[in-house]
């Protein structure tokens, strides 16, 4: 089941390289799987760029491989014209599909960017909307069951794998 | 329709704000105009010559006269021209009493202000709150006029006629200013690095400390900061001439921000500053007690941008049918003390004096209930063990296992009294579950495209033990039509809680890397509010209109 998303890469704040605010032109890239969309280059060359770049991208909402993520990467252009990555943010699909977000609702979200060392290097602001009525015919109900989530603890979309716990029987129990 | 007024001036004369703590320069936000129909006939030969007098009614019933209209001669369906201007304050319940008099012929050539009302013939009175008028879609309310004497009221009430009150919002209040501030040569408060400056803009009120109305973001390690634009509506601050305190603070992770310097200017002063391009020096109050003086600093404040635009106001949204849904969550942890003992924060005083929890519920609920159409409020408790259930951090206050709503403020009080003796106090203090319950309700309304905004009031006595989970819940909810007001009662140290209130520093960040889309929390410690001065409600609700407007503006939702 694929859905179409309208993603608007709005702006970023506090972009830093090596702990210092950058003064270069920047752009952002949205990636889902192997699909990507690139924003325009922000000409003002400062650490709080505004792009307001809207694009559409499809996401497979019912993948058997577990949770889905959207990656937002921010790059700057060096003096010699090369592109260097500042950092990236990982958006779990559950933040805009699921519990608090019906289809057609505009989700305005912000994420922390982290560089290759895992250090904080800014914040990126995006808005994402799942276009209603864009789902194709549901071919296999079973495949979607992994997407259903019941009331769960408050930590939302904590990016990671699902682990399975195996009960361990206490030796003492057998004797009683 | 004949009309007679002595000097012909009307409208702009009466600058009043109802409510004890309004600043004296409150802008005339609403012009109320009056008309009436089917008045009783007071005179024998001709019809009544009517005049309207408006009083404000305090909580204890005391009346203060605010306005008199002109006299309309010889008409049982008069339409008065003179308008009454009044400053609407969202956070106060403004009760108005209207009385209609028939002015005796012998007085008709004197000025209205000189007339003695006890010499006139009383035709009827009606009462309502200002919020009732402006939340109607046509901003008009028709009230039945009643006679004061209660005994004969039944038979006479339908003969006394109706008074129609209509409110117009004046254009001045719709103006929002966008201001870009900049500073030069800020002094460093830290020893080894420059300051992390941010500005807090507060409005001055007659009694008590200034109330913050807006703040900039925090810039790190910057002695010459240039902040992002700040938006202030004239309605928030009172008028363009109202004095504002602009403080430049050095952000400190522990919540104890150092004051670098401050200035006191009004919006029009800031406009002049922008036009002249000059800067003003900050000053720092030094010395204690009698030696109080202000040291002028080298640091300067500049206004780089000052633009005014007409924006949709909070009132416009309310008048177009937006509802504010009130929800409440009460702390039942053991740290409150045994409710049967007088030193407990939950003690129900037999003399009827409300405890801290009851006061918070009543004061906030009374203001917000006007904007909630069905008056059914979800109410929860947390941190206790209801009968037969393990400790719950989100149980329905009404004791039901299926629905969480109660009817009206009285319903909340009854459910609270009932729950008090039917649960065992436990702990720890966790906010996560009630925030998630409120967020679930708010998100359900999204699916129905309802024009609703939710306000959750959490009353607690202690510091939360799940700070990270609470932050996660707040970040998840920051994109929903929800505001969370937290009142701290008792004497605990609330430094950590102030982190949750976005006023004090950076945007909240969840454990998964998501950052809050906007600041949805307002925290007030009851202890910091002196009695009789700025009320708890004002401090709590001061930010609600701007949180509401930020949400609407971000999504281009218009009234």
């Amino acid at each position: 089941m694929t859905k179409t998303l309208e993603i608007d890469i709005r702006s970023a704040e506090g972009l830093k390289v090596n702990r210092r605010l950058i003064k270069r032109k920047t752009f952002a890239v949205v990636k889902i799987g192997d699909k990507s969309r690139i924003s325009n280059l922000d000409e003002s060359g400062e650490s709080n760029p505004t792009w307001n770049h809207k694009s559409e991208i499809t996401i497979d909402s019912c993948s058997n491989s577990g949770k889905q993520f959207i990656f937002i990467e921010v790059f700057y252009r060096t003096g010699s014209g090369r592109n260097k990555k500042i950092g990236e943010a990982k958006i779990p699909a559950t933040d805009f599909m699921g519990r608090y977000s019906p289809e057609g609702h505009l989700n305005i979200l912000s994420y922390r960017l982290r560089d290759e060392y895992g250090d904080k290097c800014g914040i990126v602001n995006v808005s994402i909307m799942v276009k209603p009525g864009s789902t194709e015919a549901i071919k296999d109900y079973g495949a979607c069951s992994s997407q259903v989530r019941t009331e769960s603890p408050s930590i939302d979309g904590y990016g990671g794998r699902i682990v399975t716990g195996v009960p361990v029987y206490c030796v003492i129990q057998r004797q009683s | 329709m004949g009309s007679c007024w002595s000097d012909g001036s009307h409208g702009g004369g009466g600058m009043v704000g109802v409510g004890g703590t309004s600043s004296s320069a409150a802008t005339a936000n609403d012009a109320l105009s009056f008309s009436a129909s089917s008045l009783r006939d007071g005179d024998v030969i001709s019809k009544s010559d009517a005049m309207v007098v408006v009083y404000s009614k305090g909580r204890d019933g005391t009346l203060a006269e605010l306005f008199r209209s002109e006299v309309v001669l010889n008409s049982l369906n008069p339409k008065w021209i003179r308008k009454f201007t009044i400053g609407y304050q969202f956070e106060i319940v403004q009760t108005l009493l209207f009385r209609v008099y028939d002015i005796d012929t012998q007085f008709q050539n004197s000025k209205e202000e000189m007339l003695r009302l006890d010499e006139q013939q009383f035709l009827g009175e009606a009462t309502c709150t200002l919020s009732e008028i402006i939340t109607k879609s046509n901003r008009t309310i028709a009230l039945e006029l009643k006679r004061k004497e209660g005994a004969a009221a039944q038979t006479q009430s339908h003969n006394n006629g109706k008074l129609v009150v209509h409110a117009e919002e004046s254009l001045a209040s719709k103006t929002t200013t966008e201001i870009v501030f900049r500073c030069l040569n800020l002094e460093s408060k830290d020893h080894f690095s420059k300051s992390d400056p941010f500005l807090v803009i507060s409005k001055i009120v007659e009694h008590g400390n200034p109330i913050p109305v807006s703040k900039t973001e925090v810039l790190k390690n910057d002695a010459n900061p240039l902040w992002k634009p700040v938006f202030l509506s004239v309605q928030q601050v009172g008028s363009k001439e109202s004095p504002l305190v602009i403080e430049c603070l050095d952000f400190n992770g522990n919540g104890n921000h150092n004051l670098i310097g401050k200035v006191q200017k009004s919006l029009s002063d800031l406009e002049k500053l922008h036009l002249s391009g000059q800067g003003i020096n900050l000053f720092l109050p030094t010395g204690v007690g009698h030696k109080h003086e202000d040291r002028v600093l080298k640091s300067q404040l500049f206004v780089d941008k000052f633009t005014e635009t007409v924006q949709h106001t909070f009132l416009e949204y309310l008048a177009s049918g937006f509802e504010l849904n009130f929800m409440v969550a009460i702390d039942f942890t053991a740290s409150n003390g045994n409710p049967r003992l007088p030193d407990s924060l939950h003690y129900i005083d037999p003399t009827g004096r409300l405890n801290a929890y009851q006061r918070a519920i009543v004061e906030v609920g009374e203001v917000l209930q006007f904007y909630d159409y069905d008056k059914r409020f979800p109410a929860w408790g947390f941190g206790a063990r209801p009968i037969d259930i393990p400790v719950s951090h989100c149980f329905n206050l009404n004791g039901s296992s299926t629905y969480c709503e109660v009817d009206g403020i009285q319903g909340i009080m009854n459910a609270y009294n009932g729950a008090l003796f039917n649960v065992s106090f436990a702990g720890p203090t966790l906010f996560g579950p009630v925030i998630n319950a409120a967020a679930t309700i708010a998100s359900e309304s999204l699916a129905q495209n309802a024009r609703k905004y939710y306000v959750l009031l959490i009353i607690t006595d202690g510091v939360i033990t799940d700070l990270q989970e609470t932050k996660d819940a707040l970040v998840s909810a920051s994109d929903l039509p929800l505001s969370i007001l937290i009142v701290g009662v008792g004497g605990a140290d609330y430094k950590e809680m102030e982190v949750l209130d976005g006023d004090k520093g950076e945007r909240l960040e969840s454990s998964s890397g998501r950052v809050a889309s906007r600041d949805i929390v307002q925290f007030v410690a009851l202890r910091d509010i002196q009695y009789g001065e700025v009320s708890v409600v004002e401090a709590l609700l001061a930010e609600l209109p701007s949180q509401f407007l930020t949400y609407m503006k971000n999504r281009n939702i218009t009234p």
Side-chain angles (χ1 to χ4, degrees), chain B residues 201-222:
Chain B
I201 302 148
S202 313
K203 70 175 178 187
I204 298 185
V205 293
E206 276 169 15
H207 310 286
N209 293 329
I211 302 184
V213 288
S214 194
K215 60 183 173 28
T216 62
E217 77 277 21
V218 177
L219 292 175
K220 294 285 189 199
N221 204 24
D222 201 336

Side-chain angles (χ1 to χ4, degrees), chain B residues 488-499:
Chain B
V489 301
D493 178 10
Y494 292 110
K495 260 312 151 349
E496 274 212 340
M497 300 269 267
E498 295 187 355
V499 167

Side-chain angles (χ1 to χ4, degrees), chain B residues 199-202 211-216 230-232 236 503 543:
Chain B
L199 295 178
V200 175
I201 302 148
S202 313
I211 302 184
V213 288
S214 194
K215 60 183 173 28
T216 62
V230 169
F231 293 90
L232 281 177
Q236 272 175 293
D503 296 343
E543 265 192 32

Side-chain angles (χ1 to χ4, degrees), chain A residues 10 13 90 95 99-100 102 105-112 114 120 123 125 154-159, chain B residues 228 436 439-440 443 446-447 469 472-473 476 479-480 507 509 511-517 551 554-555:
Chain A
R10 295 185 162 198
E13 299 163 28
K90 213 155 89 163
D95 278 1
R99 202 153 43 124
Y100 292 158
H105 177 242
L106 184 67
N107 297 286
I108 301 178
L109 311 167
S110 300
Y111 289 87
R112 164 70 64 197
R114 288 192 185 258
K120 300 183 182 183
I123 293 178
N125 305 308
S154 50
I155 301 180
D156 211 1
Y158 184 56
Chain B
K228 285 200 281 204
N436 285 331
T440 308
S443 64
L446 284 178
E469 279 87 343
D472 290 347
S476 298
D479 193 36
L480 295 172
R507 292 162 81 167
E509 199 164 324
S511 48
S512 63
R514 185 172 158 195
V515 171
S517 316
Y551 180 83
N554 280 347
R555 286 152 198 292

Side-chain angles (χ1 to χ4, degrees), chain B residues 232-476:
Chain B
L232 281 177
S233 80
V234 175
Q235 195 180 55
Q236 272 175 293
V237 303
S239 80
K240 249 182 124 173
E241 315 304 325
S242 310
L244 300 173
V245 175
I246 304 170
E247 292 167 298
C248 186
L249 300 157
D250 174 27
F251 177 77
N252 232 324
N254 63 9
N256 237 332
H257 312 299
N258 292 322
L259 178 66
I260 301 175
K262 65 179 184 181
V263 294
Q264 183 167 316
K265 292 282 165 207
S266 69
L267 282 177
S268 27
D269 292 335
L270 292 175
E271 186 174 26
K272 287 191 206 118
L273 214 60
H274 166 66
L275 292 171
S276 69
Q278 293 178 334
I280 32 168
N281 293 54
L282 303 177
F283 60 88
L284 189 65
T286 47
V288 233
H290 299 296
K291 283 209 168 158
H292 182 90
E293 43 186 49
D294 292 332
R295 185 164 69 98
V296 175
L297 305 171
K298 276 205 310 260
S299 322
Q300 290 192 312
L301 175 73
F302 291 82
V303 179
D304 275 356
K305 190 175 178 200
F306 188 97
T307 45
E308 288 174 311
T309 45
V310 177
Q311 305 249 349
H312 292 298
T313 60
F314 185 51
L315 282 190
E316 278 184 67
Y317 284 95
L318 291 179
S320 73
F322 264 91
E323 262 192 81
L324 295 182
N325 286 66
F326 178 51
M327 305 185 279
V328 66
I330 301 177
D331 181 330
F332 282 100
T333 54
S335 45
N336 285 297
N338 184 342
R340 295 172 212 277
L341 301 177
D343 60 350
S344 162
L345 290 165
H346 277 302
Y347 179 60
I348 306 282
D349 193 335
T351 64
R353 203 175 78 97
L354 301 177
N355 66 27
Y357 285 90
Q358 291 168 317
R359 270 202 6 250
I361 296 171
V362 166
E363 287 184 23
V364 178
E366 267 186 353
V367 173
L368 292 178
Q369 66 171 338
F370 290 112
Y371 309 100
D372 186 326
Y373 295 168
D374 62 1
K375 314 262 187 277
R376 286 179 64 77
F377 311 128
W380 300 289
F382 59 94
R385 248 192 315 266
I387 301 179
D388 292 344
I389 310 174
V391 176
S392 166
H393 293 286
C394 186
F395 60 89
N396 297 330
L397 208 62
N398 55 19
S400 150
S401 51
T402 44
Y403 65 95
C404 56
E405 294 105 340
V406 296
D407 282 302
I409 305 293
Q410 198 50 47
I412 305 180
M413 303 298 265
N414 294 343
Y416 168 69
N417 288 347
L420 212 45
F421 301 109
N422 281 328
V423 300
S424 325
F425 287 25
T429 313
L430 304 179
F431 282 176
V434 294
I435 295 178
N436 285 331
T440 308
I441 296 183
S443 64
E444 275 162 12
S445 82
L446 284 178
Q448 301 151 10
N449 252 329
R451 291 158 83 80
K452 289 186 182 190
Y453 191 85
Y454 293 82
V455 182
L456 170 65
L457 174 70
I458 303 182
I459 317 172
T460 179
D461 79 314
V463 183
I464 48 177
T465 38
D466 64 339
L467 190 61
Q468 189 56 54
E469 279 87 343
T470 300
K471 281 191 194 173
D472 290 347
L474 287 173
V475 169
S476 298

